Amino acid sequence: MTRQQTIRPTPRGVVPETAMVMAAGLGKRMRPLTATRPKPLVKVAGKPLIDHVFERLQAAGIKRAVVNVHYLADTLEAHVTDRFVGIDVVISDERKMLMETGGGLVQARGLLGDAPVLVVNSDNLWIDGPVDAIRLLASRWDDATMDALLLMVPLARANNHGGMGDFYLGSDGRIAGRRKPGRVAPFAYTGIQILHPRLIADWPEGPFSTNIFWDRAIAAGRAYGQVHQGLWFDVGTPAAIPKTEAILADG
């Protein structure tokens, strides 16, 4: 008896042409593994973290990736240059100063274009559920009502995540607010989002967090969340690596 082949549905929606891969961090929590290599090149399940990310970008049809670099920048730049078939890699150089996530977007603004952009942290790893997570985000994007669409995972399914959650979501998917002090929020941010470049405006001087842009979008009712249907792993410390690999080996 042959098993019936399962065909994964393809969500409808225009996948952003450009992604920004956040790869400039110092990787302090991943020491000592980051003493000689940038965090995105730490291996999990046999390949560097950033390679896992680029595999997902390739599968979703992303054509162009802006990668910011700072710590051990030459090593990281050499790794991503001409490595990933079908994706044009452009470097956003933060060698002089690490700009953090919001500042990194500002630094790369001229490279991102004016259409919605996929923004992905390079220190997490995810497995798609019934549908491709990036395509799912794209299918949910509504340019008329959104400036930011964050992929979230229920806190109970946030593997290796030591936090207490990040956001509350309304019934319509709008972000209803952030976690309150002393409380647990039901959803954790995965480090994957679609962001419209129009949100990158009126920024402060120097390094700063994307939280500034998110707070504006939340206040305007233009920040939404989409719940991830697959697995997600916070791979931020050496201890998280064998835990992640054990779960991946199981499935």
Side-chain angles (χ1 to χ4, degrees):
M1 179 175 165
T2 58
R3 295 179 64 185
Q4 184 176 1
Q5 185 177 10
T6 301
I7 300 176
R8 288 173 51 176
T10 301
R12 296 179 181 274
V14 179
V15 174
E17 182 174 310
T18 298
M20 178 158 186
V21 181
M22 295 291 188
L26 297 173
K28 291 181 179 180
R29 291 194 304 137
M30 191 62 90
R31 290 175 179 169
L33 298 181
T34 49
T36 57
R37 78 195 82 174
K39 187 177 181 181
L41 298 189
V42 171
K43 287 188 176 182
V44 180
K47 67 184 70 172
L49 280 165
I50 201 166
D51 286 20
H52 287 283
V53 170
F54 267 89
E55 282 185 358
R56 299 293 173 228
L57 299 184
Q58 288 173 316
I62 298 290
K63 301 301 182 186
R64 186 168 175 272
V66 177
V67 182
N68 65 342
V69 298
H70 173 74
Y71 176 62
L72 298 177
D74 292 347
T75 301
L76 184 55
E77 183 172 352
H79 181 85
V80 300
T81 300
D82 300 325
R83 183 181 183 87
F84 304 104
V85 176
I87 299 182
D88 179 28
V89 175
V90 180
I91 299 298
S92 179
D93 193 340
E94 296 181 22
R95 283 175 172 85
K96 291 183 179 179
M97 179 183 293
L98 179 61
M99 299 300 294
E100 298 185 27
T101 53
L105 287 168
V106 169
Q107 181 98 348
R109 177 63 186 89
L111 304 172
L112 299 178
D114 295 318
V117 175
L118 180 76
V119 182
V120 185
N121 293 348
S122 61
D123 61 352
N124 62 62
L125 189 153
W126 74 95
I127 304 297
D128 292 327
V131 297
D132 180 294
I134 295 173
R135 291 184 182 275
L136 180 63
L137 264 187
S139 72
R140 180 74 174 85
W141 178 262
D142 179 359
D143 202 69
T145 62
M146 299 176 183
D147 288 328
L149 176 61
L150 282 59
L151 188 69
M152 300 187 187
V153 65
L155 185 58
R157 293 199 286 110
N159 291 291
N160 310 325
H161 188 63
M164 299 173 67
D166 300 305
F167 296 104
Y168 304 92
L169 291 182
S171 59
D172 61 351
R174 187 181 276 114
I175 296 178
R178 293 179 175 275
R179 183 180 67 82
K180 297 175 176 60
R183 303 282 187 88
V184 172
F187 296 100
Y189 173 53
T190 62
I192 305 159
Q193 64 177 317
I194 293 178
L195 192 77
H196 199 290
R198 63 179 165 241
L199 193 57
I200 306 172
D202 301 322
W203 54 80
E205 290 291 328
F208 68 96
S209 168
T210 309
N211 282 320
I212 289 179
F213 296 142
W214 285 346
D215 286 344
R216 291 176 187 168
I218 292 170
R222 296 183 59 84
Y224 285 74
Q226 170 63 49
V227 179
H228 180 44
Q229 299 178 357
L231 293 175
W232 177 79
F233 303 89
D234 182 349
V235 192
T237 65
I241 295 175
K243 294 177 182 178
T244 300
E245 291 176 333
I247 294 173
L248 292 176
D250 245 7

